Amino acid sequence: MQCNLVVLDEDQAFDFLLFCQRNKKACPLIEVCDVGSPSAETIAMGSDLRTDVPKYCIYRDGKLDVEVEDVTPYWPERSVAFLIGCSFSYDGALLDAGIPLRSVEQNKNVPMYRTNIPCRSAGSLRGNVVVSMKPIRGMDIAKEVEITSKYPHAHGGPVCVGCPGAIGIDDVNAPEWGDSVDILPDEIPVFHMCGITPQAVLMESGVSFAITHSPGHMFVTDLPSDTVK
């Protein structure tokens, strides 16, 4: 199973924990680490969250400050690290079912978009849902929904099928994160809630300091994807 990462100072952790509890589809919690600990031992033995993610984002006062490959110098002494389920976790099940993944075929990151879907606020945290998009053949839509709905810890089934304007997306070819991918004539854009939602919320809320994964650069756990449903 793959996870998104959010690291905050202890004094901001309760608001974020409450935010995740109130927005479970967008932010399905897999693990919360002890204060100050960079290790997620229950889901990845011997892990070090300061170095085990391929690329990190550092945010200051709600703005992206820098992207780095090692956050050891930035790790707060009183940190609380959160690991959140990722839709990449069910990609293998889709491929096994004969549903192609365009981002894989084109060697691109998945496209991700801000929406007009409000999250339920918690303390100082507020903002809208971010979604990812997969082009799915019309004949495969029912199968895609059936498969992904079995993975609530990876955002579950789609929030929107087709009609990107209905969720505030003006141009499906212009994602805010990731890469634009081709949508073929027999395909429909399918939108799932995305683990970039916390990053958008942290920016919107002007959080003083946060560490996250860089979009598309996930933390890989020891848990098989098909055992966490």
Side-chain angles (χ1 to χ4, degrees):
M1 186 175 197
Q2 300 189 43
C3 288
N4 307 280
L5 173 69
V6 174
V7 182
L8 297 168
D9 286 310
E10 183 183 15
D11 61 357
Q12 297 172 320
F14 177 76
D15 280 0
F16 188 72
L17 178 63
L18 185 60
F19 182 86
C20 292
Q21 291 178 328
R22 290 178 174 176
N23 299 275
K24 292 181 179 179
K25 192 171 178 68
C27 303
L29 273 178
I30 303 300
E31 178 66 292
V32 182
C33 297
D34 291 336
V35 174
S37 174
S39 178
E41 288 292 318
T42 60
I43 60 174
M45 291 293 294
S47 59
D48 188 335
L49 295 174
R50 298 169 297 185
T51 56
D52 288 350
V53 173
K55 186 183 291 186
Y56 303 82
C57 293
I58 308 294
Y59 291 91
R60 299 184 189 276
D61 299 320
K63 296 181 180 179
L64 178 62
D65 181 40
V66 66
E67 289 186 281
V68 297
E69 295 179 356
D70 182 341
V71 292
T72 302
Y74 303 91
W75 196 267
E77 182 178 354
R78 301 293 293 176
S79 67
V80 179
F82 299 82
L83 291 159
I84 296 167
C86 173
S87 61
F88 286 4
S89 297
Y90 51 63
D91 282 355
L94 294 176
L95 290 170
D96 288 345
I99 299 176
L101 301 176
R102 187 59 34 74
S103 58
V104 174
E105 293 176 345
Q106 297 186 328
N107 194 29
K108 292 182 176 181
N109 198 351
V110 296
M112 293 161 273
Y113 313 82
R114 289 187 175 91
T115 73
N116 60 9
I117 304 170
C119 296
R120 186 181 172 192
S121 61
S124 61
L125 301 179
R126 64 193 182 279
N128 287 3
V129 168
V130 173
V131 295
S132 60
M133 188 275 288
K134 291 178 170 65
I136 303 294
R137 292 176 302 213
M139 292 295 292
D140 288 334
I141 294 294
K143 189 190 301 182
E144 198 272 356
V145 173
E146 179 184 5
I147 291 170
T148 58
S149 296
K150 295 176 181 178
Y151 292 80
H153 285 81
H155 307 294
V159 66
C160 183
V161 177
C163 301
I167 55 174
I169 299 172
D170 295 327
D171 185 355
V172 76
N173 294 310
E176 279 87 359
W177 296 270
D179 303 312
S180 178
V181 297
D182 295 337
I183 303 175
L184 303 183
D186 65 340
E187 294 176 333
I188 298 169
V190 176
F191 300 94
H192 288 263
M193 289 194 180
C194 176
I196 296 301
T197 298
Q199 297 188 21
V201 166
L202 295 174
M203 289 189 286
E204 174 72 18
S205 306
V207 169
S208 59
F209 180 82
I211 299 170
T212 73
H213 69 291
S214 182
H217 297 75
M218 318 311 299
F219 176 73
V220 180
T221 75
D222 295 338
L223 303 177
S225 297
D226 59 2
T227 63
V228 184
K229 297 182 182 180

